[in-house]
Amino acid sequence: MSAPRAAPPPEPDVTDAQRALVASVAEAAERPTLPPAARERYACAQALVLDQGRAWTPVPLGADLEPHRGVPGGCYTFAARLADAVPGLVYVEGYACPQSGAGWAIPHAWVGRLADGAALDPTWSAPGTAYYGVPLTAPFRRSAPRAPGTAALLVEMLPRDVRRHGLPPGAVAR
């Protein structure tokens, strides 16, 4: 198993909330819930998200996207529906900080615009303070196995194949 990637170096335009979120995810990656099995590339979802993900800039959901707004607790489903419905948006899964939780790394899904790194959250009433996640392609998202009882692909229960080998080619949207 390779060591999880350390928290990315700070960038000049990164906010304090984004720094706190990445630090929280990195801290969790250093202490996975389950010990890694031999030859596993990632011990936990946090390590994968730090390695394959990126920071996203919180942007309010525009009036044109309001008809796609979901409910809190349904982020994986509503983010997938919105990504499918609107060209130019991708499903992103990772960790976010809500307005009320400075620095808390909450497993979450939203949609992103690759062109400008905008995070558009269809389930929180106000954008969170920070987002860090992996943009996933629609073909991967539609075919990837999910843990029983969740619509999440990565952050609730990292699939064994992904723990061993990482994401397959074509899984990360570019």
Side-chain angles (χ1 to χ4, degrees):
M1 178 188 88
S2 63
R5 184 174 88 172
E11 299 172 24
D13 57 345
V14 172
T15 66
D16 288 342
Q18 288 169 323
R19 281 187 197 90
L21 173 61
V22 169
S24 176
V25 174
E27 183 178 335
E30 291 173 9
R31 290 182 268 135
T33 306
L34 299 172
R39 296 182 304 276
E40 280 189 341
R41 184 170 176 186
Y42 299 107
C44 59
Q46 292 91 342
L48 172 91
V49 170
L50 285 174
D51 187 46
Q52 298 291 310
R54 60 178 273 194
W56 297 84
T57 303
V59 174
L61 200 63
D64 59 327
L65 300 178
E66 277 298 327
H68 300 281
R69 184 170 293 283
V71 295
C75 63
Y76 307 107
T77 300
F78 286 101
R81 287 181 188 166
L82 182 52
D84 286 343
V86 178
L89 298 181
V90 295
Y91 174 90
V92 184
E93 196 166 307
Y95 298 90
C97 293
Q99 287 286 334
S100 61
W104 293 356
I106 295 174
H108 195 50
W110 59 93
V111 294
R113 283 193 310 245
L114 292 173
D116 63 1
L120 302 150
D121 197 322
T123 58
W124 288 352
S125 60
T129 59
Y131 294 79
Y132 198 94
V134 182
L136 299 171
T137 62
F140 173 75
R141 179 175 46 81
R142 291 183 188 123
S143 66
R146 288 160 176 78
T150 183
L153 298 169
L154 306 175
V155 296
E156 298 288 336
M157 176 68 83
L158 194 60
R160 175 76 52 198
D161 277 356
V162 175
R163 285 175 68 120
R164 285 188 186 135
H165 308 292
L167 291 167
V172 179
R174 306 268 180 219

